[in-house]
Amino acid sequence: MEELRKSDFYFDLPEELIAQDPLEDRASSRLLLLNKSNGGIEHHVFKEIVDYLRPGDCLVLNNTKVLPARLMGVKEETGAAIEVLLLKRKEKDLWETLVKPGKKARPGTRIVFGDGCLRAEVVDVVEEGNRLIRFTYEGIFEEVLDRLGEMPLPPYITHKLQDKNRYQTVYAKYEGSAAAPTAGLHFTKELLAKIEAKGVAVAYVTLHVGLGTFRPVKADNILEHHMHSEYYQVDREAAEKINLAKASGGRVICVGTTSCRTVESAAGEDGRLQECCDNTEIFIYPGYRFKVMDCLITNFHLPESTLVMLVSALAGRENVLHAYEEAIRERYRFFSFGDAMFLTDSFTKDNK
């Protein structure tokens, strides 16, 4: 296999196409259909996705919930402003965090948030300069966090989010993500009910999205890139629904790259899933043979990102880059609050 370069996945994106705010109606975003075999393209509205799903298919959704993980505080000693981003819970009140400015947050530094109802002390410096922080508070941590924390929006979104729930899927259930599984933001409860009424199985898996999802690929040879570890879980019900769809000739359609990475990590070599939980560092790029996923609903991703590489593994790099060119020409909205694409095997409507 020829060496894949980071630059092979570059495209020029006008900055004004980066969506800064969510649409009022989640399901009214645009939808680009891409035929993964021949590169054919059609333009639709997201709520029409139901017409392109078939009875017997299985839609796989990631039900992780984003923590309002960005905390703005002050150093107890000096009153200097300091920002803490929760990354991973290590013990009950001990978290691995990203602190800005980091250099001044030495072990022993004490931080106060809000009116003092949440306090913290830097305990240690760990890999990549992240800080281990121990929190003290009264009551329930999640409730304090909900009151004081802000959603950890990606760095390319500069507008303030008016409603926290808009960076959360309507089916979010298990807290633990530092970023939303954004392909799922297009679904409403009404749309999901229509999909299930059509005879499409809906399976929920969990992958807690880490900030590694925004980390750029630095190595020119993409095989030298190291993916960050993320926790996933597949319960028995989801495994059975996905296995049944595969066995009966239905398609497994993942909503978002996180759902894809979950099922591909959890599957045995025969493509079957069992109830399981683990951490994954799976990196999917062209040449990868999918064991479970047949089709993918996803947003438009950053140039040279691991997410564009994953999409290219399913539909071919040239097809994907051509679709991105078309989306830019047609002024689609990009990234987290942007429009969606459906990488499918057919444009035939199923109106049953």
Side-chain angles (χ1 to χ4, degrees), residues 321-341:
L321 291 179
H322 175 252
Y324 272 54
E325 278 173 26
E326 174 84 358
I328 291 166
R329 218 172 13 251
E330 293 291 327
R331 313 294 290 174
Y332 273 66
R333 301 161 75 249
F334 273 65
F335 305 165
S336 298
F337 288 138
D339 296 313
M341 66 191 301

Side-chain angles (χ1 to χ4, degrees), residues 5 25 39 41 43 46 54 88 117 123 125 129 148 167 178 205 215 219 245 258 267 305 322 333 338 345:
R5 318 299 303 179
D25 172 22
I41 291 170
H43 302 286
F46 191 81
R54 306 170 198 147
K88 193 178 283 183
C117 62
V123 176
V125 180
L148 297 179
Y167 194 59
V205 298
R215 285 221 168 86
T258 62
S305 64
H322 175 252
R333 301 161 75 249
D345 52 356

Side-chain angles (χ1 to χ4, degrees), residues 132-348:
L132 279 186
I133 285 184
R134 190 175 300 284
F135 289 95
T136 53
Y137 50 91
E138 284 191 12
I140 297 167
F141 182 72
E142 284 73 15
E143 289 178 2
V144 176
L145 190 62
D146 201 44
R147 197 162 72 248
L148 297 179
E150 297 174 12
M151 281 298 185
L153 294 179
Y156 47 75
I157 292 178
T158 56
H159 290 192
K160 190 166 172 65
L161 185 63
Q162 300 306 315
D163 176 4
K164 275 185 190 173
N165 288 327
R166 293 314 307 273
Y167 194 59
Q168 207 79 273
T169 62
V170 296
Y171 47 81
K173 190 172 182 183
Y174 300 112
E175 278 189 333
S177 275
T182 53
L185 295 177
H186 304 282
F187 287 89
T188 62
K189 288 184 173 169
E190 295 76 18
L191 185 56
L192 285 168
K194 268 189 191 171
I195 287 167
E196 289 196 88
K198 190 171 181 177
V200 175
V202 176
Y204 293 97
V205 298
T206 308
L207 180 136
H208 291 322
V209 189
L211 280 184
T213 194
F214 301 119
R215 285 221 168 86
V217 176
K218 293 194 173 135
D220 190 34
N221 175 359
I222 69 167
L223 300 188
E224 292 168 16
H225 178 70
H226 176 66
M227 294 287 280
H228 280 68
S229 177
E230 293 169 315
Y231 173 82
Y232 72 85
Q233 186 167 353
V234 178
D235 66 19
R236 184 179 301 162
E237 184 186 355
E240 286 173 355
K241 285 181 176 179
I242 294 165
N243 290 339
L244 179 61
K246 288 300 264 187
S248 56
R251 300 172 300 172
V252 173
I253 300 162
C254 290
V255 175
T257 55
T258 62
S259 300
C260 164
R261 293 176 63 243
T262 302
V263 298
E264 292 297 319
S265 298
E269 284 308 313
D270 59 357
R272 286 184 60 77
L273 289 166
Q274 292 182 331
E275 182 177 7
C276 62
C277 61
D278 205 345
N279 291 295
T280 181
E281 295 177 358
I282 192 170
F283 180 18
I284 295 175
Y285 51 84
Y288 179 84
R289 294 189 61 175
F290 289 90
K291 296 179 282 191
V292 183
M293 183 174 77
D294 299 300
C295 304
L296 176 67
I297 296 167
T298 188
N299 279 20
F300 292 91
H301 304 293
L302 278 77
E304 300 185 332
S305 64
T306 59
L307 307 178
V308 166
M309 294 168 192
L310 184 155
V311 173
S312 299
L314 182 65
R317 186 179 68 90
E318 289 181 4
N319 287 345
V320 168
L321 291 179
H322 175 252
Y324 272 54
E325 278 173 26
E326 174 84 358
I328 291 166
R329 218 172 13 251
E330 293 291 327
R331 313 294 290 174
Y332 273 66
R333 301 161 75 249
F334 273 65
F335 305 165
S336 298
F337 288 138
D339 296 313
M341 66 191 301
F342 181 25
L343 290 79
T344 182
D345 52 356
S346 165
F347 291 168
T348 308

Side-chain angles (χ1 to χ4, degrees), residues 6-19:
K6 179 175 76 166
S7 54
D8 293 338
F9 300 90
Y10 179 78
F11 58 91
D12 192 25
L13 179 71
E15 200 173 314
E16 68 269 18
L17 295 185
I18 300 172

